[in-house]
Amino acid sequence: MQKVRVGMIGCGGIATGKHLPSLNKIDKVEVVAFFDISEERAKEARDQFGAPGAKVYASIQALLADEAVDVVHVCTPNDTHAEISIAALEAGKHVMCEKPMAKTSADARRMVEVAKRIGKKLTIGYNNRFRADSQYLKKIVDEGDLGEIYFAKAHAVRRRGVPTWGVFLDEEKQGGGPLIDIGTHALDLTLWLMNNYEPRVVLGTAYHKLSRKENAANSWGPWDPAKFTVEDSAFAMIVMKNGATVMVEASWALNTLDAKEAKSTLCGTEGGADMQDGLRINGEKHSRLYVNQLQFEAKGADFYAGKKESMQDKEIRLWIDAVLNDTQPVVTPEQACVVSEILEAIYESNRTGKAVYFD
């Protein structure tokens, strides 16, 4: 395959702000097909990011029928992820689907099964794995520097950062609020760093407290309480089969000054790490405690900041490399499916007031 020809389904902010700019930086990629429920939006994306002769399609089915398309990127609301991804796989396309994998764990499992049956690649857009601090921490964890990681925290906390556009506040289309939107990033990052995908039991809570406030302070302006049908915050404890404990905290609106998003805290038998103030590694050496703070800026001289690849660019580049070289993507569908299963268990635990046991 000399060129990877990409079709974009969904041409909103995540497509034009993340996927398309990064795809355009890769010489071996041509974005040749576009679809959006707004034809005008699809045409704007084509005009800005499309290869010469790129087409706008009137339907998803028409785009998927185009044999010139090798890869499809799915950038649509959560409730359509599974349906579109499965249709694309069935049409013989490799698929990158934005996070979360699906609205339900059953749909996520269907996506895994179809990808295996068809023999096409499927990955999910968990871009925070590709940050410099995440990549470095993953390396030292895999090398055993922290020992056995038996306690961790997945942080996705905003003080006031409720997205008021699109369908973010619509439970029917999204499946949830901050937990499934940004909590999914933090949970994926934490499980990946731990290399632990075997949950045993989940206990979770979700709240509708600040969502009822009128004229609330918010990064994107006040939300409409009548349309705020998802939780404003959610919390959980996950106990893994090996006994490790993972705490999850996710909020769009919470009265706290301790806001941090898409970050992890790891505690192991030989050392610990957190992303609170950059990446910090802590431990004990020669009967003394230490803290090492890692530096990721490449700057070494005045007026020169060094070269640095963004996490989005690296994510898309490595995905295209996996397609070209027929290798496994960094984010596997099996891993992403476990994230979806845990998220669903947190919501179920909140509804029932009971712990949810796996197996």
Side-chain angles (χ1 to χ4, degrees):
M1 189 183 294
Q2 298 303 310
K3 287 275 189 179
V4 177
R5 295 160 299 184
V6 177
M8 185 65 54
I9 298 179
C11 299
I14 196 67
T16 58
K18 170 188 168 182
H19 291 252
L20 289 165
S22 295
L23 286 166
N24 271 189
K25 293 176 183 176
I26 304 173
D27 290 338
K28 292 185 177 181
V29 166
E30 292 180 342
V31 187
V32 298
F34 295 81
F35 170 80
D36 192 275
I37 56 173
S38 164
E39 185 179 4
E40 181 181 355
R41 194 159 53 203
K43 287 180 177 178
E44 288 175 355
R46 178 200 59 190
D47 293 346
Q48 185 175 359
F49 299 104
K55 301 176 183 177
V56 168
Y57 288 85
S59 70
I60 293 172
Q61 293 77 13
L63 186 152
L64 296 181
D66 187 345
E67 295 183 359
V69 176
D70 306 305
V71 172
V72 166
H73 283 220
V74 179
C75 299
T76 58
N78 297 350
D79 65 337
T80 64
H81 283 185
E83 176 188 356
I84 296 172
S85 296
I86 288 171
L89 291 164
E90 295 275 12
K93 320 298 185 186
H94 302 293
V95 175
M96 168 174 267
C97 177
E98 252 308 320
K99 61 80 194 170
M101 187 170 188
K103 180 181 169 182
T104 69
S105 63
D107 279 346
R109 287 189 290 271
R110 285 174 53 223
M111 292 166 69
V112 173
E113 291 163 4
V114 172
K116 284 182 178 178
R117 173 168 58 82
I118 300 296
K120 291 296 179 179
K121 300 186 189 303
L122 170 63
T123 195
I124 308 302
Y126 284 120
N127 50 265
N128 286 284
R129 292 192 191 189
F130 300 89
R131 299 191 325 239
D133 58 342
S134 304
Q135 297 268 305
Y136 185 92
L137 182 51
K138 177 64 172 172
K139 187 176 295 184
I140 70 167
V141 169
D142 287 350
E143 290 176 354
D145 290 11
L146 302 188
E148 176 196 356
I149 299 173
Y150 59 91
F151 180 66
K153 294 180 181 179
H155 310 280
V157 176
R158 295 177 185 170
R159 184 184 182 191
R160 291 292 189 280
V162 179
T164 53
W165 67 92
V167 296
F168 280 104
L169 304 184
D170 186 337
E171 185 173 15
E172 183 63 29
K173 290 192 175 297
Q174 289 295 92
L179 179 63
I180 202 170
D181 177 42
I182 57 176
T184 191
H185 271 303
L187 179 58
D188 171 76
L189 179 63
T190 304
L191 297 183
W192 175 67
L193 289 168
M194 297 173 72
N195 192 27
N196 193 338
Y197 292 92
E198 296 188 319
R200 182 171 67 85
V201 60
V202 170
L203 182 63
T205 53
Y207 295 97
H208 297 262
K209 299 294 186 180
L210 304 186
S211 60
R212 305 300 182 230
K213 291 186 177 294
E214 299 276 357
N215 299 314
N218 186 47
S219 298
W220 292 285
W223 56 80
D224 182 350
K227 296 180 180 178
F228 205 139
T229 61
V230 296
E231 81 279 359
D232 53 43
S233 58
F235 310 92
M237 180 178 75
I238 307 156
V239 180
M240 311 302 283
K241 287 182 179 177
N242 72 344
T245 300
V246 179
M247 308 299 295
V248 179
E249 54 179 11
S251 73
W252 282 338
L254 189 69
N255 287 324
T256 180
L257 298 179
D258 190 23
K260 45 189 174 286
E261 190 171 334
K263 296 185 177 181
S264 297
T265 298
L266 306 178
C267 302
T269 53
E270 301 301 320
D274 66 57
M275 297 166 164
Q276 313 292 13
D277 183 19
L279 177 59
R280 303 184 301 185
I281 311 298
N282 69 82
E284 178 183 354
K285 192 171 184 178
H286 303 309
S287 300
R288 295 289 182 179
L289 299 176
Y290 70 84
V291 178
N292 288 335
Q293 186 157 7
L294 280 299
Q295 182 176 335
F296 293 98
E297 295 301 322
K299 183 177 180 179
D302 288 343
F303 313 114
Y304 180 68
K307 295 181 179 179
K308 185 169 67 172
E309 185 178 31
S310 73
M311 64 178 178
Q312 296 94 333
D313 288 351
K314 187 167 190 176
E315 175 191 29
I316 301 300
R317 176 177 61 80
L318 292 179
W319 159 239
I320 296 300
D321 284 350
V323 172
L324 285 168
N325 301 317
D326 193 21
T327 55
Q328 182 171 269
V330 174
V331 181
T332 69
E334 291 84 2
Q335 293 168 340
C337 186
V338 173
V339 174
S340 289
E341 289 173 340
I342 292 174
L343 295 175
E344 187 170 271
I346 295 170
Y347 285 126
E348 182 182 345
S349 176
N350 176 68
R351 284 193 299 268
T352 63
K354 299 177 181 179
V356 175
Y357 288 85
F358 286 71
D359 296 333

